[in-house]
Amino acid sequence: MGKVLIIGAGGVSSVVVHKCAQHPDVFEEIVLASRTKSKCDSIAAQIDRPIETAQVDADNVPELVELIKKVQPDLVLNVALPYQDLHIMDACLETGVNYLDTANYEPEDTAKFEYKWQWDYQDRFKDAGIMALLGSGFDPGVTSVFCTYIQKHHLDEVHTIDIIDVNAGDHGYPFATNFNPEINIREVTARGRYWEKGEWKETDPLSVKHAFEVPENIGTPNIYLMYHEELESLAKHIPHLKRARFWMSFGDSYLKHLEVLGNVGMTRIDEVEFNGQKIIPLQFLKALLPDPATLGPRTVGKTWIGCQVTGLKDGKEKTVTIYNTCDHQECYKEVQSQAISYTTGVPAMIGANLMISKVWSGEGVFNMEQMDPDPFMDLLNTCGLPWKVIDGPVIDLG
Ligand code: NDP
């Protein structure tokens, strides 16, 4: 049916390539390009279908344009880093090709999470008659679709959304991150922020927490209020919404290390002079930490990511919770990756699948909750991320 050009060859990309290869009816041809071609080649070597590979610097728009013209894909699937989003969108505009990503654009020198830069492409994508789908990972991505699914099938009005992301997995290291360390630490050390009654409220980083007894005996971690990008688009697109918050679990060892690293300046993202060279401490730290793509064989335990949503049904107040659980070792057996890369890579493949097969289509820039949730929810069930719905809450978050 179509051809996909995947950009980036890290942990998430590896899952995307495996999962696209499992659907040859939709992804007839797969091309994988990244900054380091050898990483594309080692992913391609794990797949028993031919995958073409290429080298590209995704910060260089003319280079991207040349590659896209040569490959002639139906869709560019961006799983490089958020810094590359706008360059890849520019190249898609120039070549008239649809675009999909899993994380919103961030400028490299400020940890600022806003859709503004990408929403500004709306008119240009519309005029070019092409579609950009933003945030087709798990959170954002599946969490956004969970909310619209509840809105469509379980409630007449959605009033509050609490997104809860628990990773109860253990990789055995005192400190490691489950996806790109630089992006992860920028996100976690940012100020907390949630949306209430039409305005943003701020908290000190990781200062609000609750103990959570996760369903299905997955664990009893603390979950911490933090900002996450889907809050911005949900606040814009879900009518009647009164409050939206995001919570993530962190272990004590992770937080202790993060505090010390922050105190000594290792999480700084500004340049410092070192031995006559300019370095960014967080980038140096990334070079020292375990590569998330290598955590697969040693990570055990499960993830639990869900949305607890309240609202009105037939005039009465009602709470509905919807969630997925994913087992790190099961993911490793299937695609040689841990569950964090898996839970991001599978929805990226599903979004691409729906765009290439034109089940999801449009002209302009779209967030996940603007699309019909049903075909996406069906594919989650058949592609490795089945979900469950509970009538009622799983936690009292006040
Ligand atoms: P990795 O760091 O493992 O991989 C990133 C890849 O992008 C690497 O192969 C890297 O190349 C490549 N890359 C970086 N810069 C360039 C460039 N200028 N040109 C070409 N390629 C480049 O990251 P992850 O796989 O962990 O994450 C991928 C994306 O997924 C990120 O945007 C992340 O924010 C997002 N994500 C989204 C989640 C969600 O649920 N929505 C959850 C987790 C991640 P090289 O190998 O040379 O360094």
Side-chain angles (χ1 to χ4, degrees):
M1 192 183 283
K3 186 172 189 179
V4 63
L5 169 61
I6 298 164
I7 298 184
V12 175
S13 167
S14 173
V15 177
V16 173
V17 177
H18 275 89
K19 296 304 278 192
C20 288
Q22 290 175 6
H23 297 268
D25 49 328
V26 177
F27 303 100
E28 283 170 328
E29 288 179 77
I30 301 168
V31 181
L32 175 60
S34 190
R35 180 166 55 188
T36 315
K37 185 173 176 291
S38 58
K39 291 198 184 173
C40 303
D41 294 331
S42 52
I43 294 174
Q46 296 171 20
I47 313 286
D48 54 11
R49 272 182 59 189
I51 309 288
E52 207 183 302
T53 61
Q55 198 277 331
V56 74
D57 175 4
D59 286 323
N60 182 326
V61 179
E63 221 179 89
L64 280 168
V65 167
E66 197 184 316
L67 176 71
I68 297 172
K69 281 187 175 157
K70 186 166 152 250
V71 171
Q72 302 217 332
D74 297 286
L75 174 78
V76 174
L77 195 163
N78 167 17
V79 273
L81 296 179
Y83 317 133
Q84 277 81 54
D85 288 3
L86 302 187
H87 295 136
I88 301 177
M89 289 177 83
D90 285 334
C92 283
L93 270 175
E94 206 169 319
T95 50
V97 175
N98 288 335
Y99 168 91
L100 176 150
D101 67 29
T102 65
N104 71 3
Y105 170 73
E106 278 173 53
E108 212 158 342
D109 58 355
T110 3
K112 209 162 185 211
F113 309 96
E114 274 184 44
Y115 275 114
K116 174 189 173 307
W117 289 284
Q118 289 181 281
W119 284 343
D120 279 352
Y121 280 68
Q122 166 66 9
D123 289 346
R124 279 172 282 164
F125 267 69
K126 204 167 177 211
D127 292 346
I130 56 173
M131 173 174 179
L133 183 63
L134 308 183
S136 189
F138 206 104
D139 38 346
V142 176
T143 49
S144 329
V145 175
F146 278 175
C147 294
T148 37
Y149 182 82
I150 289 179
Q151 183 183 42
K152 183 170 174 182
H153 296 285
H154 292 270
L155 297 174
D156 302 322
E157 277 182 20
V158 167
H159 289 172
T160 72
I161 295 172
D162 282 291
I163 299 169
I164 307 170
D165 179 334
V166 170
N167 178 11
D170 182 6
H171 44 56
Y173 287 117
F175 186 80
T177 64
N178 295 290
F179 67 98
N180 184 287
E182 197 184 326
I183 305 298
N184 177 256
I185 291 172
R186 282 161 70 108
E187 184 176 280
V188 174
T189 51
R191 284 181 66 72
R193 199 145 61 104
Y194 64 99
W195 194 83
E196 191 170 46
K197 294 187 189 131
E199 59 183 49
W200 292 103
K201 304 216 163 137
E202 287 210 357
T203 60
D204 287 337
L206 309 178
S207 59
V208 183
K209 69 172 178 180
H210 285 272
F212 179 29
E213 200 171 325
V214 188
E216 305 193 20
N217 293 322
I218 285 173
T220 49
N222 285 322
I223 55 171
Y224 294 80
L225 182 100
M226 54 185 273
Y227 181 68
H228 224 243
E229 63 201 56
E230 63 266 52
L231 298 179
E232 185 186 13
S233 68
L234 288 168
K236 179 173 174 187
H237 294 129
I238 302 281
H240 313 292
L241 191 64
K242 296 182 182 5
R243 190 182 65 210
R245 298 181 295 192
F246 184 95
W247 307 82
M248 191 177 271
S249 76
F250 298 105
D252 292 342
S253 173
Y254 178 94
L255 292 178
K256 184 177 75 189
H257 281 77
L258 197 63
E259 185 186 355
V260 175
L261 291 167
N263 284 344
V264 298
M266 283 300 288
T267 58
R268 281 171 59 173
I269 59 172
D270 54 329
E271 280 185 342
V272 298
E273 191 86 21
F274 177 72
N275 278 354
Q277 213 186 326
K278 290 210 185 312
I279 63 162
I280 293 174
L282 183 56
Q283 285 178 359
F284 177 68
L285 176 64
K286 175 183 181 250
L288 302 178
L289 290 174
D291 178 351
T294 64
L295 297 178
R298 48 185 300 145
T299 308
V300 294
K302 290 186 178 178
T303 61
W304 185 102
I305 314 177
C307 300
Q308 179 170 295
V309 179
T310 70
L312 286 182
K313 180 71 184 168
D314 300 327
K316 288 196 192 119
E317 284 186 12
K318 186 177 170 185
T319 304
V320 182
T321 306
I322 184 164
Y323 68 92
N324 160 265
T325 64
C326 197
D327 184 290
H328 286 284
Q329 280 299 303
E330 292 296 321
C331 297
Y332 187 69
K333 270 188 233 146
E334 186 194 330
V335 298
Q336 295 164 50
S337 292
Q338 32 83 354
I340 305 303
S341 302
Y342 190 90
T343 52
T344 311
V346 171
M349 179 281 288
I350 294 176
N353 181 323
L354 294 174
M355 283 175 74
I356 287 182
S357 55
K358 300 196 166 47
V359 176
W360 278 3
S361 60
E363 290 175 358
V365 175
F366 297 87
N367 292 92
M368 299 292 285
E369 64 275 3
Q370 292 175 273
M371 312 310 293
D372 177 9
D374 293 352
F376 189 93
M377 294 294 277
D378 289 345
L379 283 174
L380 283 176
N381 276 332
T382 55
C383 295
L385 294 176
W387 42 272
K388 289 183 187 164
V389 179
I390 300 178
D391 256 342
V394 285
I395 182 173
D396 180 0
L397 290 166

